[in-house]
């Protein structure tokens, strides 16, 4: 790699690891701390309801489900904000043309801008995963809850977020306004949450479709298959890298054909 | 002049593609919520009885409509409508031109924030007017009065999202960071809307959260009095005016 390109990549990486992931990580750790602090203080009836609707057992599982939601929520929006800064804002500010007038291919630009954002998201996910692992420690004696499982599930969610964000790059290359971008991001974030809403309020839909339920009802399923989480996270690592690479390749081809205005 | 500017800005925003996308999200809620409440499990209905003093299909509907759909929708719409106020104009280089008109930055900020509230209000109320007849068919025991009373109060929580996003856009130096802070703070507050219901011991403390006031019609569904509606609207109006005043104070010192 020419040294100028290396320096450019380093500059982009420094931009991606700024205040956005730091603020996200701080809020994320705060939310996980609050889950551990507040959930055990809820009345037994509220905890029972959460156990019944999510098909889980014990306070440890209830705390973990909420921690998992926090990871999914924070990591995703940290990434969405990072991608807006990297891809949509320069277009809105009419600075993209100027950036691309340098001897820099669009593919190189895209990978230098998106790669570090995805890495920053993974770092936020990892930090929150460690905190989730710690929040599982007091409940490790409960059946179906383990520190290793919590760490694995945190990684699974972080990787899922990276994968979703890599796919989100494609619509973000098409919009000219950050707010359309945020609406697209919200749509991407919401879709994986639909099955768990169905699980809670319309469990009849999944009767006879137990394998579909096991696959889709995130984050409850991460607790159901606690023991399998470490292995699942390793498999998903390969899948997420592969699909992200494909999505970015597709994005680069699309980007080469779009007007940078 | 401000009135004409407000009118032009509302009209321009209504014509933007993001507003169309936002209306699409509203339509999605209209379709999804009646499906979710069609066959609730027994333990969910029992919880409705414990929390809201009634376990009818309409109780669950209003809870889900407000908490699952509208609470999330207003956060994202607030950001979309007011997230880049003033800073977006500054970074795209048009702010200096706009402020060369006989209009102070403070007035510009307030008119734009008000315009975002008007668009939010139009989308929100139109969504409810379209939803009501459709939902009334799908949800047995649908009570239009309670539904629109809830809309009237929650509308001011929607305005809170607009005012908060507008404040963040002038308070936080970077646009992406401002948007992230808006999303994280507002979604976290939304998550605590019903904290005082889930644990009655927290009822008093939960009222520092504006969204706890936004859902007041849901929490007092069984014995709703005009005082609940008007009191919560007054509290939310206070929150919103405070946010607007803070934003205006900040804009006064903003460099163009």
């Amino acid at each position: 790699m020419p040294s100028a390109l290396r320096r450019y990549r380093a500059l982009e990486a420094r931009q991606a690891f700024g205040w956005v992931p730091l603020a996200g990580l701080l809020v994320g750790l705060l939310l996980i701390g609050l889950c551990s602090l507040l959930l055990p203080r809820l009345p037994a009836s509220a905890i029972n309801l959460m156990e019944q609707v999510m098909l889980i057992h014990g306070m440890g599982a209830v705390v973990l489900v909420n921690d998992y939601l926090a990871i999914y929520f924070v990591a995703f929006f940290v990434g969405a904000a990072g991608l807006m800064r990297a891809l949509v804002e320069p277009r809105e500010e009419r600075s993209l043309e100027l950036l691309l007038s340098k001897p820099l291919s669009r593919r190189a630009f895209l990978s230098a801008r998106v790669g570090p954002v995805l890495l920053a998201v993974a770092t936020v996910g990892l930090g929150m995963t460690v905190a989730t692992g710690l929040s599982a420690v007091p409940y490790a004696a409960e059946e179906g809850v383990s520190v290793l499982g919590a760490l694995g599930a945190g990684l699974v969610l972080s990787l899922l977020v990276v994968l979703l964000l890599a796919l989100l790059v494609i619509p973000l290359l098409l919009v000219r306004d950050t707010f359309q971008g945020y609406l697209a991001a919200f749509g991407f974030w919401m879709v994986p949450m639909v099955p768990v809403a169905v699980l809670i309020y319309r469990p009849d839909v999944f009767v006879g479709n137990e394998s579909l339920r096991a696959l889709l009802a995130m984050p409850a399923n991460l607790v159901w298959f606690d023991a399998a989480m470490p292995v699942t996270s390793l498999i998903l690592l390969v899948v997420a890298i592969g699909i992200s690479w494909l999505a970015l390749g597709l994005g680069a081809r699309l980007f080469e054909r779009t007007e940078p205005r | 002049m401000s009135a004409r500017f407000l009118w032009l800005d509302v009209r321009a925003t209504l014509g933007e593609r993001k507003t169309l996308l936002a209306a699409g999200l509203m339509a999605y809620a209209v379709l999804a919520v009646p499906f979710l409440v069609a066959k609730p499990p027994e333990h969910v209905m029992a919880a409705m009885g414990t929390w809201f003093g009634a376990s009818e299909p309409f109780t669950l509907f209003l809870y889900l409509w407000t908490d699952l759909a509208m609470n999330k929708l207003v956060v994202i719409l607030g950001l979309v409508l007011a997230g880049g106020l003033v800073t977006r104009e500054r970074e795209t280089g048009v702010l200096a031109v706009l402020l060369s008109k006989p209009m102070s930055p403070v007035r510009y900020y307030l008119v734009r924030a008000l315009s975002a509230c008007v668009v939010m209000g139009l989308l929100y109320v139109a969504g409810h007017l379209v939803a009501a007849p459709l939902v009334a068919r799908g949800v047995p025991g649908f009570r239009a009065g309670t539904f629109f009373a809830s809309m009237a109060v929650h509308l001011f929580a929607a305005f809170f999202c607009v005012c908060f996003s507008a404040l963040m856009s002038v308070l936080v130096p970077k646009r992406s960071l401002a948007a992230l802070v808006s999303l994280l703070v507002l979604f976290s507050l939304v998550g605590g809307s019903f904290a005082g219901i889930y644990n009655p011991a927290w009822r008093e403390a939960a009222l520092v959260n504006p969204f706890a006031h936004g859902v007041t019609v849901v929490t007092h569904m069984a014995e709703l009095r005009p005082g609940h509606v008007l009191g919560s609207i007054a509290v939310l109006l206070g929150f919103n005016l405070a946010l607007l005043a803070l934003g205006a104070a900040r804009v006064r010192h903003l460099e163009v």
Side-chain angles (χ1 to χ4, degrees):
Chain A
M1 201 189 326
S3 71
L5 191 57
R6 217 170 16 237
R7 210 162 53 235
Y8 169 65
R9 281 175 175 273
L11 275 172
E12 289 289 5
R14 202 188 306 162
Q15 285 280 319
F17 280 84
W19 277 100
V20 164
L22 189 64
L25 185 62
L26 290 176
V27 173
L29 295 179
L30 180 74
L31 288 178
I32 289 182
L34 284 176
C35 284
S36 287
L37 191 73
L38 296 180
L39 286 170
R41 287 160 209 262
L42 281 178
S45 61
I47 296 298
N48 282 341
L49 181 72
M50 265 191 265
E51 292 177 321
Q52 277 175 317
V53 296
M54 295 272 192
L55 309 177
I56 53 179
H57 299 288
M59 181 57 80
V62 169
V63 170
L64 283 183
V65 162
N66 284 282
D67 286 354
Y68 296 161
L69 280 174
I71 295 180
Y72 179 65
F73 158 58
V74 174
F76 185 88
F77 284 108
V78 164
L83 289 179
M84 295 309 156
R85 181 199 54 77
L87 300 175
V88 191
E89 280 180 21
R91 202 165 179 186
E92 204 172 45
E93 289 158 15
R94 309 275 169 154
S95 60
L96 190 60
E97 266 177 308
L98 193 69
L99 279 167
L100 291 174
S101 66
K102 314 258 169 193
L104 173 73
S105 76
R106 296 203 179 177
R107 187 177 291 266
F109 172 79
L110 195 66
S111 68
R113 286 226 147 178
V114 174
V117 170
L118 297 184
L119 266 181
V121 168
T123 312
V124 171
L126 208 63
M128 291 182 73
T129 297
V130 172
T132 303
L134 288 176
S135 72
V137 171
Y139 306 103
E142 278 182 22
E143 200 188 338
V145 172
S146 68
V147 175
L148 213 58
L151 291 173
L155 284 180
V156 165
L157 281 168
S158 310
L159 292 166
L160 179 73
V161 167
V162 167
L163 203 159
L164 280 172
L165 291 168
L167 294 173
L168 179 67
V169 166
I170 295 169
L172 292 190
L173 289 172
L174 298 173
V175 300
R176 286 185 163 76
D177 156 347
T178 40
F179 303 117
Q180 288 176 27
Y182 277 111
L183 283 172
F186 183 64
F188 268 64
W189 179 71
M190 206 171 54
V191 169
M193 299 299 292
V194 171
V196 79
V198 173
L199 172 76
I200 296 174
Y201 299 107
R202 286 293 302 270
D204 58 295
V205 172
F206 282 125
V207 172
N209 277 323
E210 275 72 14
S211 48
L212 203 64
R213 183 176 73 186
L215 188 69
L216 296 180
M218 181 204 81
N221 57 359
L222 304 182
V223 176
W224 302 340
F225 302 105
D226 182 79
M229 280 305 118
V231 179
T232 312
S233 68
L234 291 180
I235 298 171
L236 197 62
L237 181 65
V238 179
V239 174
I241 290 176
I243 295 186
S244 304
W245 187 75
L246 281 176
L248 289 184
L250 190 68
R253 289 184 67 174
L254 186 79
F255 195 32
E256 272 155 14
R257 282 185 218 148
T258 44
E259 280 283 312
R261 296 166 70 74
Chain B
M1 192 188 65
S2 294
R4 170 134 183 92
F5 177 39
L6 178 71
W7 163 241
L8 289 175
D9 193 50
V10 167
R11 239 178 41 181
T13 313
L14 282 176
E16 280 182 59
R17 195 192 292 172
K18 68 183 184 190
T19 313
L20 198 71
L21 285 170
L25 278 181
M26 197 90 190
Y28 176 74
V30 172
L31 293 176
V33 177
F35 166 78
L36 283 178
V37 301
K39 275 188 205 162
E42 266 172 39
H43 44 259
V44 168
M45 291 318 284
M48 292 300 116
T50 320
W51 292 341
F52 308 122
S55 52
E56 299 153 16
F58 179 70
T59 320
L60 179 62
F61 165 77
L62 197 62
Y63 170 62
L64 284 193
W65 176 260
T66 312
D67 193 40
L68 204 67
M70 291 306 121
N71 259 349
K72 314 289 189 294
L73 199 74
V74 293
V75 171
I76 199 81
L77 286 191
L79 174 70
V80 165
L81 291 171
L85 231 73
V86 182
T87 43
R88 182 170 179 234
E89 287 85 328
R90 188 177 59 182
E91 285 175 26
T92 48
V94 296
L95 188 61
V97 179
L98 286 170
L99 294 182
S100 68
K101 309 263 168 192
M103 174 170 279
S104 71
V106 172
R107 177 171 286 200
Y108 179 77
Y109 174 81
L110 290 177
V111 173
R112 290 292 315 276
L114 197 62
S115 146
C117 284
V118 171
V119 175
M120 171 69 100
L122 286 173
L123 278 175
Y124 193 85
V125 173
H128 279 72
L129 287 175
V130 172
L134 296 173
V135 170
R137 245 183 282 165
V139 180
F142 179 78
R143 297 205 297 273
T146 314
F147 180 71
F148 285 112
S150 181
M151 178 198 82
V153 178
H154 198 259
L155 179 63
F156 288 83
F159 294 157
F160 177 83
C161 296
V162 172
C163 298
F164 189 85
S165 292
L167 175 62
M168 287 305 115
S169 83
V170 292
L171 209 59
V172 180
K174 287 217 164 98
R175 279 170 66 200
S176 53
L177 185 62
L180 181 69
V181 172
S182 287
L183 284 171
L184 292 181
V185 171
L186 290 174
F187 270 128
S188 301
L189 288 176
V190 153
S193 305
F194 287 91
I197 292 292
Y198 302 146
N199 188 353
W202 297 341
R203 190 160 290 172
E204 302 292 313
L207 290 178
V208 298
N209 180 354
F211 289 93
H213 296 278
V215 301
T216 199
V217 175
V218 186
T219 53
H220 295 94
M221 216 180 319
E223 23 95 58
L224 189 66
R225 286 193 306 272
H228 294 133
V229 175
L230 297 176
S232 291
I233 288 180
V235 171
L236 283 166
L237 208 56
F239 270 115
N240 295 347
L241 290 176
L243 290 181
L244 285 178
L246 284 173
R250 173 80 188 108
V251 168
R252 195 165 290 142
H253 303 291
L254 205 67
E255 278 179 42
V256 178

